[in-house]
Amino acid sequence: MESKIISFTRKELYDQVWSIPMIKLAKKYGLSGRGLSKICNKHDIPCPPRGYWAKLQAGKKVKKIPLPSTESTDAIRLEDSPGEKPEKKIADDFVEKNKIESIPVKKTLKGAHPLIKKTSDYFKTVSKKVDEMLEPPIDKYLDITVSPGALRRGLLIMDAVIRVLDSKGFPVVIENSRTQVKIFDISIQIQLKEEYKTVPKKPKDHNLEWNYQFGYTNKYSPYSYDRIPSGVLCLSIDEWVGGPGTQQKNWRDIKSAVLEDRLPKFISGLIQIAAIKSEETRQRKEEERLREEHKKILQQKVDEYNFEKERVSGLLEDSDNWNKAFVLRQYIAEVEKCLKNGESISFIEGSVEAWMEWAKNQADRLDPLNDSPPSILDHAEELERASQRQSWW
């Protein structure tokens, strides 16, 4: 079913969120509950709290959180895709387009992929016990863990997988100490392992060192069983994948089909997980971009706030200084008036004209509307530092 884009207003999405449980509504639009919750948070749409629907169903009184007002009129766009998961469609389309209906597994290792040959050569150098698993150093060789009896088959299966991935432009490499395939610029770890099976441990004859329990036997005790190779091979995708639902990551021999016949499904699963991880990477980058954008906008507001704060502070300081200059000029005028009336001013020493000029200069220095006459006070910071240095001598 083809998806289609649906646009909502905040009010329309709010009404849906409070009329349908979040998980059901999210599924309707091919989203996870967390994904829909993020969309609601982004647009300041409140969601029902935990337990809301259970209380409502039980007939209890519940409180609906009102929709906050906002100046935003942006439409909310959701993709209505109630069909299959998008990553599964990507994988299925790829498999169909590339005709991966079956993957042939060769009968011989002749002409095998270089990584297969390298790993095979390593296995030739180690001792082989029938009931033990062979496990090469994964930082140098393919991540293959099998018994000697399943070694050849495991190498042939892995060779078939590597050849088909290489042919589709998805190289398999040993990187960061793991076997990885690169799909859509995403590195995915893969491995092939033989599973164990448990068999009852055979008691040793006349073993006097054995711990016997008379009258009681714990059949679940690990000491009662041995783990031996089962012959069942399993291809695994060793990656954590988030999101809703369970993503298949293991393909093994089953009663109805051997692993060789399930290789196309393994390739499809690889592409699905690569698509999921690619989308997760895109979302992380988008979230990081939005965080940086929000940080930039917030810093811009902080800068504007500090600038405005300084302007207001400067305005108040200028106003205060202007008021001081006004009061000082009134005071100088009163002094001048007293002198004209023949009154003596005790604090004026020397020339009255010089004092009057000095006093008016101080008023002009305070007044932000006048040019400030030069003064020794202009060098206050420099002279304060010189004074402090002298105090150290």
Side-chain angles (χ1 to χ4, degrees):
M1 184 181 295
E2 292 187 359
S3 62
K4 59 180 179 179
I5 303 298
I6 300 179
S7 295
F8 297 97
T9 64
R10 288 179 65 246
K11 179 64 167 59
E12 288 171 340
L13 184 55
Y14 167 80
D15 290 339
Q16 288 205 39
V17 165
W18 286 88
S19 60
I20 304 173
M22 184 74 76
I23 191 68
K24 291 184 179 180
L25 185 62
K27 188 176 181 181
K28 177 181 177 182
Y29 297 113
L31 298 169
S32 65
R34 186 167 177 267
L36 182 57
S37 179
K38 281 186 176 181
I39 293 173
C40 290
N41 290 337
K42 179 180 178 182
H43 295 279
D44 197 16
I45 298 174
C47 300
R50 185 183 296 275
Y52 175 85
W53 298 104
K55 291 179 181 178
L56 187 66
Q57 190 174 10
K60 295 183 179 180
K61 188 176 181 180
V62 291
K63 184 179 180 181
K64 186 176 179 180
I65 304 173
L67 178 65
S69 59
T70 178
E71 296 180 358
S72 175
T73 58
D74 295 341
I76 303 170
R77 297 165 62 86
L78 296 180
E79 185 174 359
D80 184 8
S81 54
E84 61 185 3
K85 296 180 181 179
E87 60 271 9
K88 186 176 187 306
K89 188 175 187 306
I90 291 172
D92 290 346
D93 288 347
F94 180 88
V95 171
E96 182 179 351
K97 181 179 178 181
N98 289 270
K99 304 300 180 185
I100 308 178
E101 297 176 354
S102 64
I103 298 175
V105 178
K106 296 194 299 183
K107 302 295 184 182
T108 175
L109 289 174
K110 186 177 180 179
H113 188 275
L115 286 176
I116 294 292
K117 186 176 185 307
K118 181 181 177 182
T119 305
S120 177
D121 289 343
Y122 168 79
F123 281 129
K124 292 176 182 177
T125 66
V126 298
S127 60
K128 302 177 179 63
K129 294 183 180 180
V130 177
D131 58 347
E132 290 185 0
M133 293 291 191
L134 302 173
E135 188 172 3
I138 59 176
D139 59 333
K140 297 180 180 179
Y141 307 98
L142 292 170
D143 193 352
I144 298 176
T145 303
V146 292
S147 65
L151 176 58
R152 187 171 180 277
R153 182 186 172 214
L155 290 170
L156 289 171
I157 289 174
M158 187 64 91
D159 181 57
V161 169
I162 294 176
R163 281 188 292 103
V164 73
L165 288 172
D166 267 350
S167 70
K168 305 306 177 185
F170 304 143
V172 175
V173 296
I174 297 173
E175 192 173 86
N176 298 325
S177 300
R178 299 304 301 266
T179 300
Q180 301 190 9
V181 55
K182 295 183 179 293
I183 303 176
F184 308 145
D185 295 326
I186 300 295
S187 294
I188 302 176
Q189 297 178 8
I190 61 173
Q191 58 186 0
L192 186 145
K193 294 185 181 294
E194 181 177 356
E195 297 183 345
Y196 283 99
K197 66 178 179 179
T198 57
V199 296
K201 183 176 291 186
K202 295 180 180 180
K204 296 180 181 179
D205 293 336
H206 309 296
N207 182 9
L208 299 180
E209 296 181 357
W210 188 263
N211 293 324
Y212 292 97
Q213 291 183 342
F214 296 98
Y216 174 77
T217 301
N218 182 2
K219 66 178 180 178
Y220 300 106
S221 169
Y223 299 106
S224 302
Y225 291 87
D226 283 321
R227 296 174 73 240
I228 63 173
S230 66
V232 175
L233 298 187
C234 177
L235 273 169
S236 298
I237 300 172
D238 191 12
E239 294 286 346
W240 183 88
V241 180
T246 301
Q247 186 68 40
Q248 184 173 352
K249 296 194 291 184
N250 297 290
W251 288 261
R252 56 176 55 83
D253 290 317
I254 56 178
K255 290 182 179 180
S256 58
V258 293
L259 183 56
E260 286 85 343
D261 296 335
R262 306 189 72 195
L263 297 185
K265 292 187 178 297
F266 173 71
I267 300 298
S268 177
L270 271 174
I271 297 168
Q272 287 183 47
I273 288 182
I276 293 172
K277 295 184 75 67
S278 179
E279 176 61 17
E280 288 176 348
T281 300
R282 186 198 67 77
Q283 289 181 5
R284 281 196 300 270
K285 288 181 178 179
E286 177 63 13
E287 289 171 359
E288 180 63 27
R289 185 191 69 78
L290 292 175
R291 280 195 297 270
E292 288 298 320
E293 185 177 318
H294 177 71
K295 184 178 177 181
K296 184 177 179 180
I297 293 172
L298 183 60
Q299 184 60 49
Q300 184 178 351
K301 289 183 178 179
V302 169
D303 292 342
E304 290 176 0
Y305 166 79
N306 289 332
F307 177 72
E308 187 68 7
K309 187 178 178 181
E310 289 179 6
R311 286 186 69 194
V312 172
S313 178
L315 178 64
L316 293 175
E317 184 179 358
D318 287 345
S319 174
D320 186 50
N321 286 335
W322 179 87
N323 190 56
K324 288 178 180 178
F326 179 79
V327 173
L328 182 56
R329 288 188 178 111
Q330 285 184 319
Y331 172 71
I332 294 170
E334 287 297 320
V335 171
E336 194 172 19
K337 182 178 178 182
C338 289
L339 291 173
K340 286 181 180 181
N341 291 336
E343 300 178 18
S344 62
I345 306 297
S346 60
F347 57 80
I348 298 179
E349 298 178 358
S351 170
V352 171
E353 289 77 10
W355 184 92
M356 293 296 295
E357 182 181 1
W358 171 81
K360 289 178 181 179
N361 282 342
Q362 304 315 307
D364 287 343
R365 285 178 58 78
L366 285 170
D367 192 345
L369 302 180
N370 282 9
D371 293 333
S372 179
S375 169
I376 189 67
L377 296 177
D378 294 333
H379 308 283
E381 186 175 343
E382 176 186 350
L383 296 175
E384 285 288 343
R385 287 199 302 268
S387 176
Q388 289 176 3
R389 287 197 297 268
Q390 284 183 343
S391 66
W392 298 340
W393 299 343

